[in-house]
Amino acid sequence: KNEVEQSPQNLTAQEGEFITINCSYSVGISALHWLQQHPGGGIVSLFMLSSGKKKHGRLIATINIQEKHSSLHITASHPRDSAVYICAVITDKLIFGTGTRLQVFP
Amino acid sequence: GAVVSQHPSWVICKSGTSVKIECRSLDFQATTMFWYRQFPKQSLMLMATSNEGSKATYEQGVEKDKFLINHASLTLSTLTVTSAHPEDSSFYICSAPDRGSMSSPQHFGDGTRLSIL
């Protein structure tokens, strides 16, 4: 069993829909990253959080340390949001989830 | 914001060639650099951790003589895939934590797609 599990693995949405991606982990962490990987491979860190909730534009990330669970929400999704979203937990190194492939259609 | 520049972005070469990949921190000191490997449709797997001025720490199953890591300065870490073979074809990417601490934001290179013929 992976230490970091994401769901769903694949997600298809119509433009404008509200998207939720979930991440559960089984190890003790100091914080968690939500990353976005575009088709070319480059990775951008969207959020790093250790408690509560963070918001940046249409993106919202939450974490519940007690339940070892985090969610990434995208409001009013857009085709340019199409990418792989990866949850990575911070121990003494980064441990990555398997990613969620999101496709948003116009 | 802080940037990690990774070169080259794409390499195609013959079997037996050694390939060097560079990751350079542009506006911060990267005392630690992580090197990852990613196969198609799979997640990133940590290969090794390099620290400036000391030997790299390799993850279990990663051959240190195959994947040579050098971190000679606070702004440059290199990964050399020695005598590359087709099974080494993969996407390699580096990241460095801001301020050298895991509790600070990670900055990723854009990755290197390596294809060995």
Side-chain angles (χ1 to χ4, degrees):
Chain A
K1 192 179 185 329
N2 292 332
E3 292 169 302
V4 182
E5 298 274 1
Q6 277 184 244
S7 63
Q9 286 190 331
N10 294 284
L11 187 53
T12 302
Q14 284 294 126
E15 183 173 357
E17 286 185 13
F18 181 83
I19 305 289
T20 296
I21 300 170
N22 295 298
C23 175
S24 296
Y25 52 91
S26 56
V27 293
I29 70 169
S30 58
L32 177 149
H33 280 279
W34 278 103
L35 309 170
Q36 181 189 53
Q37 185 172 31
H38 279 282
I43 292 176
V44 173
S45 178
L46 300 173
F47 295 103
M48 188 177 81
L49 66 166
S50 56
S51 65
K53 176 179 173 178
K54 285 190 175 180
K55 184 176 190 294
H56 185 253
R58 295 180 294 106
L59 302 178
I60 303 167
T62 63
I63 188 168
N64 185 318
I65 293 290
Q66 286 73 34
E67 295 189 2
K68 297 190 172 180
H69 182 269
S70 178
S71 293
L72 176 69
H73 306 285
I74 305 175
T75 60
S77 60
H78 192 276
R80 65 175 174 266
D81 297 326
S82 299
V84 175
Y85 292 84
I86 303 170
C87 163
V89 301
I90 303 169
T91 57
D92 58 339
K93 57 189 178 185
L94 285 179
I95 305 173
F96 296 86
T98 50
T100 295
R101 190 170 300 272
L102 171 65
Q103 286 187 294
V104 182
F105 293 99
Chain B
V3 174
V4 171
S5 176
Q6 184 171 346
H7 292 282
S9 55
W10 196 293
V11 179
I12 302 174
C13 57
K14 292 182 180 179
S15 187
T17 307
S18 291
V19 178
K20 181 187 279 190
I21 302 169
E22 289 188 353
C23 276
R24 199 177 291 272
S25 59
L26 296 186
D27 56 359
F28 70 104
Q29 292 184 333
T31 54
T32 300
M33 189 76 74
F34 298 101
W35 288 94
Y36 308 94
R37 183 173 181 173
Q38 186 181 34
F39 290 108
K41 300 200 175 177
Q42 293 188 24
S43 192
L44 285 79
M45 295 296 295
L46 179 66
M47 298 174 66
T49 304
S50 74
N51 293 292
E52 187 267 335
S54 62
K55 288 185 179 180
T57 304
Y58 290 81
E59 295 299 300
Q60 195 171 11
V62 178
E63 298 174 59
K64 58 182 68 175
D65 295 330
K66 175 76 172 173
F67 299 99
L68 299 179
I69 290 174
N70 185 281
H71 196 150
S73 79
L74 286 170
T75 59
L76 177 64
S77 178
T78 62
L79 167 68
T80 301
V81 184
T82 60
S83 187
H85 291 280
E87 59 266 27
D88 299 322
S89 298
S90 189
F91 185 70
Y92 294 87
I93 193 166
C94 61
S95 77
D98 215 339
R99 304 187 297 274
S101 165
M102 288 305 295
S103 62
S104 55
Q106 287 277 338
H107 306 289
F108 288 83
D110 285 336
T112 297
R113 198 162 301 280
L114 176 61
S115 295
I116 308 297
L117 306 177

